[in-house]
Amino acid sequence: MSSLLTLPSTVSRLKLVPKALVAIPLSLNLIKSLEQKRIRPSNSPLLSFPPSLGLNSLTAHFSTSRSAVTPDPFHDNLVVLGIETSCDDTAAAIVKGNGEILSQVVSSQADLLAQYGGVAPKMAEEAHSQVIDQVVQEALDKASLTEKDLSAVAVTIGPGLSLCLRVGVQKARRVAGNFNLPIISVHHMEAHAIVARLMEKELQFPFLALLISGGHNLLVLAHDLGQYTQLGTTIDDAIGEAFDKTAKWLGLDLRKSGGPAVEQLAREGDAESVKFSIPMKQHKDCNFSYAGLKTQVRLAIASRNIDAKIPISCASSQDRSSRADIAASFQRVAVLHLEERCERAIEWALKIEPSIKHLVVSGGVASNQYVRARLDHVVNKYSLRLVCPPPNLCTDNGVMIAWTGIENFRAGRYDPPPPANDPEDFMYDLRPRWPLGEEYAEGRSEARSLRTARVHPSLTSIVQASLKQQ
Ligand code: KG4
Ligand code: ZN
């Protein structure tokens, strides 16, 4: 377990939800529990039942009030606990409304990752359950706070692995229920983008964002909080998955996850030596594909008789240099694919929102220095600025959830305190497949995702429906 940053501070508790925000803060799951179980939270001063909200209302999750949005995002005394368990990291952090990070704790499942070569949901769930209480307690201790000092709890509800999301949501509801705190449901990918606003005070909407992680490859135009146009996504694998498999097949040490291991080895290799082809060159859109590049890497490894069972630390110098050449060539082409898509996305974005000034690059893969350097080159051509959060805020963390919680709270998007104990058969509102934005119509191409699993309506469609209702 690593505690990444601790900035002790004395803070005062803002116990009351601002009056302007007490609009219709009912969540879908709360309504379900109230209707199905006829349970009324005894301690919820925020609760009201607008007649228009029913079980199927998409807008029920959010209370959105334009007038409630704070013009200066760094002015209040909010103290928010953020909890993140969507994949393999158990993370918690406490962040103040003025942007001060009071504590940050991440417990990663590095040994499990190394053992299984990827995330096994059941194992990951168990690992989260084992450490979640300790991680949250450590975040409170490092901030020298108790739950009573908190203003609200923010938690990732999707996208991610249901089993894992549930652990975080249960914990968040326990803390919020026991201490009468509002709860803020956070979209994991929105958090990857929005955390950039914590680091870069000048970053205003609209901006373009490239979000690159183990499960996602997204190019989105961020018009406003909760309002995104999806310019591109992956039709198969995300870039982080390609880094992870390349690391595994090259016999690298996976304990810090595959990406950093490939990046490190690539520094020793010749990036021009293996001729991989750039994915989707014939498709003039902003979508991504990394499955084919993965296959190219696997074939290149097989043809050079590289044995992944021999760890890189035991490889001969010739074997090591051959592995380094593959790592460097893979990284170069994987990033060329990003560069090409980003250039097109910037052109599209400048047509839709001519005032954009920034490209935000976030998600685990954005901590890669080569990725940053190449994308910096791209944005310079268009006189834009690259904004990358520091590496420990690019990979999954609790700070991004707490900060996105703060921004959503100010916009009135939160739920009242849950009951102290959820009933045993309580239906948690988890959104394993939850798009961030609506697809840009002009950017549609024939190369579409083959994934057909049920998808939750996008965050943007929910927010827009809620805005129309007002
Ligand atoms: O955002 P993240 O922490 O978790 C997800 O939401 O998926 O991203 C994890 C991904 C992993 O695939 C990991 O290998 C990759 O980010 N990653 C990197 C680097 N650091 C993390 N990929 C390339 N270079 C890095 N330095
Ligand atoms: Zn992530």
Side-chain angles (χ1 to χ4, degrees):
M1 182 172 310
S2 62
S3 306
L4 302 176
L5 181 62
T6 309
L7 301 171
S9 154
T10 324
V11 291
S12 63
R13 180 182 188 203
L14 179 77
K15 252 190 141 179
L16 294 174
V17 176
K19 279 217 171 64
L21 304 182
V22 186
I24 320 168
L26 272 184
S27 74
L28 196 55
N29 58 30
L30 181 65
I31 296 168
K32 273 187 195 159
S33 97
L34 291 167
E35 291 195 353
Q36 288 167 356
K37 298 275 156 199
R38 304 207 175 282
I39 291 169
R40 173 177 287 267
S42 56
N43 53 5
S44 175
L46 308 173
L47 200 59
S48 63
F49 286 90
S52 60
L53 283 181
L55 260 181
N56 297 320
S57 165
L58 285 182
T59 60
H61 182 69
F62 293 105
S63 144
T64 305
S65 161
R66 276 257 148 249
S67 60
V69 178
T70 311
D72 170 9
F74 292 93
H75 87 292
D76 57 37
N77 290 325
L78 291 170
V79 181
V80 172
L81 165 67
I83 297 178
E84 157 61 37
T85 61
S86 67
C87 191
D88 56 331
D89 290 319
T90 316
I94 299 177
V95 179
K96 275 177 73 176
N98 67 2
E100 195 181 341
I101 298 168
L102 299 181
S103 64
Q104 171 172 197
V105 181
V106 180
S107 168
S108 72
Q109 300 175 6
D111 293 340
L112 283 180
L113 265 185
Q115 196 178 336
Y116 294 95
V119 181
K122 197 77 191 110
M123 306 281 182
E125 177 200 19
E126 260 171 45
H128 283 304
S129 303
Q130 274 169 20
V131 298
I132 186 75
D133 289 340
Q134 198 185 331
V135 165
V136 169
Q137 191 57 52
E138 199 178 323
L140 287 163
D141 292 347
K142 285 183 180 299
S144 307
L145 298 179
T146 72
E147 290 90 341
K148 291 195 186 120
D149 300 306
L150 298 172
S151 317
V153 182
V155 62
T156 307
I157 64 162
L161 300 166
S162 291
L163 288 174
C164 299
L165 291 165
R166 179 184 301 273
V167 177
V169 171
Q170 266 172 346
K171 176 68 183 176
R173 290 180 65 86
R174 262 204 314 276
V175 175
N178 287 332
F179 293 88
N180 196 24
L181 300 166
I183 192 158
I184 312 152
S185 298
V186 173
H187 190 296
H188 181 84
M189 299 313 289
E190 175 169 59
H192 271 307
I194 292 299
V195 73
R197 279 162 56 82
L198 172 62
M199 308 318 301
E200 180 63 56
K201 311 268 187 295
E202 279 174 24
L203 180 62
Q204 303 289 338
F205 294 105
F207 59 84
L208 182 61
L210 171 69
L211 307 176
I212 38 181
S213 64
H216 296 269
N217 235 90
L218 278 178
L219 265 165
V220 290
L221 184 51
H223 305 280
D224 204 341
L225 187 70
Q227 303 211 42
Y228 304 88
T229 299
Q230 180 183 296
L231 303 179
T233 184
T234 180
I235 63 165
D236 42 52
D237 293 328
I239 185 170
E241 154 72 13
F243 266 97
D244 291 339
K245 284 295 179 313
T246 300
K248 183 179 169 192
W249 296 332
L250 286 175
L252 307 190
D253 181 353
L254 300 178
R255 276 174 303 176
K256 279 193 288 165
S257 84
V262 172
E263 181 183 11
Q264 198 181 353
L265 185 62
R267 293 199 188 105
E268 298 172 24
D270 174 359
E272 307 274 351
S273 59
V274 188
K275 302 290 171 213
F276 295 128
S277 52
I278 304 173
M280 292 183 82
K281 275 296 247 189
Q282 72 282 18
H283 293 282
K284 304 294 177 204
D285 59 30
C286 293
N287 286 330
F288 301 89
S289 164
Y290 281 97
L293 181 56
K294 260 170 58 181
T295 306
Q296 293 183 62
V297 168
R298 197 161 41 77
L299 294 175
I301 289 172
S303 74
R304 283 161 181 78
N305 293 324
I306 292 167
D307 183 357
K309 286 194 219 80
I310 301 174
I312 186 83
S313 51
C314 302
S316 67
S317 69
Q318 197 193 352
D319 185 5
R320 185 181 178 97
S321 112
S322 157
R323 296 187 202 202
D325 286 348
I326 292 176
S329 303
F330 156 74
Q331 181 172 259
R332 177 175 161 271
V333 171
V335 177
L336 273 172
H337 187 30
L338 294 181
E339 291 170 49
E340 201 234 344
R341 277 17 213 180
C342 278
E343 288 209 18
R344 187 170 295 115
I346 291 172
E347 280 160 21
W348 288 3
L350 284 169
K351 272 195 228 143
I352 308 167
E353 295 269 18
S355 66
I356 61 161
K357 293 187 177 56
H358 299 94
L359 170 66
V360 168
V361 183
S362 186
V365 184
S367 46
N368 181 301
Q369 296 303 322
Y370 179 79
V371 169
R372 289 174 180 230
R374 297 294 307 184
L375 293 176
D376 196 40
H377 200 62
V378 170
V379 297
N380 284 338
K381 279 198 238 171
Y382 295 88
S383 303
L384 299 184
R385 270 192 54 213
L386 189 72
V387 178
C388 289
N392 67 354
L393 297 184
C394 280
T395 47
D396 289 351
N397 64 85
V399 172
M400 69 184 197
I401 305 306
W403 180 251
T404 307
I406 287 171
E407 292 222 20
N408 275 289
F409 187 82
R410 289 186 184 134
R413 296 170 197 159
Y414 60 89
D415 293 324
N421 290 303
D422 284 323
E424 253 175 44
D425 56 348
F426 184 75
M427 295 266 294
Y428 290 97
D429 181 14
L430 308 173
R431 304 175 181 186
R433 288 176 54 74
W434 188 17
L436 184 54
E438 294 296 298
E439 206 179 336
Y440 178 48
E442 286 175 44
R444 279 210 181 113
S445 74
E446 323 83 69
R448 307 292 291 281
S449 172
L450 298 175
R451 293 176 186 169
T452 52
R454 207 175 66 83
V455 174
H456 200 277
S458 76
L459 174 70
T460 302
S461 67
I462 297 170
V463 169
Q464 282 175 350
S466 155
L467 286 170
K468 271 194 205 124
Q469 252 200 1
Q470 286 168 19

